[in-house]
Tab-separated table of all heavy atoms in Angstrom:
chain	number	residue	atom	x	y	z
A	425	GLU	N	-0.961	-3.697	16.450
A	425	GLU	CA	0.435	-4.437	16.508
A	425	GLU	C	1.481	-3.407	16.142
A	425	GLU	O	1.421	-2.715	15.229
A	425	GLU	CB	0.372	-5.600	15.545
A	425	GLU	CG	0.553	-6.901	16.053
A	425	GLU	CD	-0.731	-7.501	16.706
A	425	GLU	OE1	-1.777	-7.664	15.902
A	425	GLU	OE2	-0.814	-7.641	17.940
A	426	MET	N	2.613	-3.536	17.014
A	426	MET	CA	3.853	-2.553	16.695
A	426	MET	C	4.812	-3.372	15.836
A	426	MET	O	5.916	-3.741	16.273
A	426	MET	CB	4.374	-2.264	18.110
A	426	MET	CG	3.402	-1.556	19.072
A	426	MET	SD	3.169	0.155	18.387
A	426	MET	CE	2.145	0.652	19.747
A	427	ARG	N	4.398	-3.710	14.576
A	427	ARG	CA	5.298	-4.422	13.789
A	427	ARG	C	5.270	-3.819	12.353
A	427	ARG	O	4.370	-3.258	11.927
A	427	ARG	CB	4.782	-5.848	13.592
A	427	ARG	CG	5.094	-6.762	14.718
A	427	ARG	CD	4.869	-8.302	14.144
A	427	ARG	NE	3.463	-8.598	14.057
A	427	ARG	CZ	2.661	-8.984	14.902
A	427	ARG	NH1	3.038	-9.221	16.165
A	427	ARG	NH2	1.406	-9.391	14.660
A	428	ILE	N	6.339	-4.094	11.606
A	428	ILE	CA	6.456	-3.661	10.177
A	428	ILE	C	6.193	-4.782	9.250
A	428	ILE	O	5.662	-4.490	8.091
A	428	ILE	CB	7.944	-3.013	9.941
A	428	ILE	CG1	8.256	-1.907	10.846
A	428	ILE	CG2	7.968	-2.671	8.436
A	428	ILE	CD1	7.290	-0.718	10.870
A	429	SER	N	6.332	-6.015	9.663
A	429	SER	CA	5.878	-7.114	8.858
A	429	SER	C	6.352	-7.168	7.385
A	429	SER	O	5.633	-7.370	6.490
A	429	SER	CB	4.340	-7.268	8.830
A	429	SER	OG	3.758	-7.365	10.148
A	430	ASN	N	7.707	-6.847	7.280
A	430	ASN	CA	8.395	-7.036	5.901
A	430	ASN	C	7.736	-6.127	4.871
A	430	ASN	O	7.547	-6.472	3.735
A	430	ASN	CB	8.232	-8.556	5.504
A	430	ASN	CG	9.332	-8.847	4.514
A	430	ASN	OD1	10.376	-8.184	4.343
A	430	ASN	ND2	9.111	-9.945	3.860
A	431	PHE	N	7.365	-4.889	5.259
A	431	PHE	CA	6.651	-3.923	4.406
A	431	PHE	C	7.612	-2.758	4.202
A	431	PHE	O	8.063	-2.153	5.078
A	431	PHE	CB	5.371	-3.489	5.094
A	431	PHE	CG	4.516	-2.686	4.155
A	431	PHE	CD1	4.297	-2.907	2.862
A	431	PHE	CD2	3.842	-1.520	4.709
A	431	PHE	CE1	3.482	-2.226	2.020
A	431	PHE	CE2	2.948	-0.638	3.910
A	431	PHE	CZ	2.851	-1.065	2.600
A	432	LEU	N	7.959	-2.567	3.073
A	432	LEU	CA	8.737	-1.314	2.562
A	432	LEU	C	9.924	-0.927	3.470
A	432	LEU	O	10.138	0.258	3.879
A	432	LEU	CB	7.741	-0.104	2.499
A	432	LEU	CG	6.577	-0.321	1.490
A	432	LEU	CD1	5.656	0.899	1.687
A	432	LEU	CD2	6.967	-0.451	0.041
A	433	LEU	N	10.758	-1.928	3.852
A	433	LEU	CA	11.765	-1.779	4.807
A	433	LEU	C	12.769	-0.580	4.513
A	433	LEU	O	13.141	0.242	5.307
A	433	LEU	CB	12.524	-2.950	5.051
A	433	LEU	CG	11.771	-4.156	5.655
A	433	LEU	CD1	12.578	-5.453	5.756
A	433	LEU	CD2	11.092	-3.818	6.981
A	434	TRP	N	13.103	-0.550	3.304
A	434	TRP	CA	14.131	0.478	2.614
A	434	TRP	C	13.307	1.771	2.579
A	434	TRP	O	13.889	2.842	2.994
A	434	TRP	CB	14.532	-0.018	1.305
A	434	TRP	CG	15.353	0.894	0.640
A	434	TRP	CD1	14.907	2.070	-0.241
A	434	TRP	CD2	16.804	1.030	0.653
A	434	TRP	NE1	15.960	2.698	-0.639
A	434	TRP	CE2	17.164	2.118	-0.229
A	434	TRP	CE3	17.815	0.334	1.280
A	434	TRP	CZ2	18.460	2.523	-0.459
A	434	TRP	CZ3	19.093	0.783	0.980
A	434	TRP	CH2	19.408	1.761	0.179
A	435	GLN	N	12.131	1.752	2.186
A	435	GLN	CA	11.352	2.997	1.750
A	435	GLN	C	10.881	3.737	3.047
A	435	GLN	O	10.686	4.933	2.961
A	435	GLN	CB	10.272	2.718	0.792
A	435	GLN	CG	10.592	2.088	-0.381
A	435	GLN	CD	10.696	0.488	-0.437
A	435	GLN	OE1	10.867	-0.049	0.615
A	435	GLN	NE2	10.550	-0.139	-1.582
A	436	ILE	N	10.709	3.124	4.111
A	436	ILE	CA	10.131	3.846	5.300
A	436	ILE	C	11.148	4.285	6.269
A	436	ILE	O	10.969	4.687	7.425
A	436	ILE	CB	9.092	2.905	6.152
A	436	ILE	CG1	9.853	1.616	6.578
A	436	ILE	CG2	7.923	2.640	5.306
A	436	ILE	CD1	9.019	0.921	7.733
A	437	SER	N	12.434	4.371	5.702
A	437	SER	CA	13.504	4.848	6.553
A	437	SER	C	13.288	6.122	7.458
A	437	SER	O	13.586	6.229	8.589
A	437	SER	CB	14.714	5.134	5.825
A	437	SER	OG	15.272	3.970	5.344
A	438	TYR	N	12.543	7.043	6.825
A	438	TYR	CA	12.237	8.344	7.425
A	438	TYR	C	10.731	8.579	7.587
A	438	TYR	O	10.336	9.614	7.946
A	438	TYR	CB	12.884	9.472	6.797
A	438	TYR	CG	14.394	9.472	7.031
A	438	TYR	CD1	15.415	8.963	6.201
A	438	TYR	CD2	14.833	9.960	8.261
A	438	TYR	CE1	16.702	8.982	6.452
A	438	TYR	CE2	16.314	9.850	8.513
A	438	TYR	CZ	17.121	9.373	7.674
A	438	TYR	OH	18.430	9.264	7.915
A	439	ALA	N	9.921	7.417	7.429
A	439	ALA	CA	8.506	7.673	7.563
A	439	ALA	C	8.075	7.888	8.977
A	439	ALA	O	8.759	7.439	9.966
A	439	ALA	CB	7.761	6.435	7.048
A	440	GLU	N	6.955	8.634	9.172
A	440	GLU	CA	6.416	8.681	10.501
A	440	GLU	C	5.492	7.581	10.684
A	440	GLU	O	4.679	7.300	9.824
A	440	GLU	CB	5.637	10.093	10.661
A	440	GLU	CG	6.577	11.366	10.488
A	440	GLU	CD	7.459	11.488	11.799
A	440	GLU	OE1	7.128	11.184	12.795
A	440	GLU	OE2	8.695	11.893	11.447
A	441	ILE	N	5.497	6.905	11.910
A	441	ILE	CA	4.707	5.738	12.133
A	441	ILE	C	3.472	6.066	12.958
A	441	ILE	O	3.642	6.783	14.002
A	441	ILE	CB	5.510	4.616	12.662
A	441	ILE	CG1	6.702	4.230	11.726
A	441	ILE	CG2	4.726	3.382	12.922
A	441	ILE	CD1	7.603	3.138	12.178
A	442	TYR	N	2.377	5.721	12.612
A	442	TYR	CA	1.222	5.857	13.451
A	442	TYR	C	0.387	4.499	13.505
A	442	TYR	O	0.020	3.890	12.539
A	442	TYR	CB	0.339	6.895	12.629
A	442	TYR	CG	-1.051	7.207	13.324
A	442	TYR	CD1	-1.100	8.247	14.344
A	442	TYR	CD2	-2.222	6.415	13.077
A	442	TYR	CE1	-2.278	8.528	14.925
A	442	TYR	CE2	-3.451	6.816	13.770
A	442	TYR	CZ	-3.444	7.878	14.678
A	442	TYR	OH	-4.638	8.117	15.220
A	443	VAL	N	0.300	4.072	14.743
A	443	VAL	CA	-0.441	2.753	15.070
A	443	VAL	C	-1.726	3.128	15.800
A	443	VAL	O	-1.692	3.820	16.739
A	443	VAL	CB	0.477	1.840	15.789
A	443	VAL	CG1	-0.261	0.486	16.236
A	443	VAL	CG2	1.856	1.530	15.000
Side-chain angles (χ1 to χ4, degrees):
E425 241 82 60
M426 302 285 183
R427 283 198 288 272
I428 300 298
S429 302
N430 202 14
F431 187 45
L432 302 176
L433 299 177
W434 173 274
Q435 298 88 337
I436 59 162
S437 293
Y438 287 101
E440 296 293 326
I441 301 178
Y442 181 90
V443 178

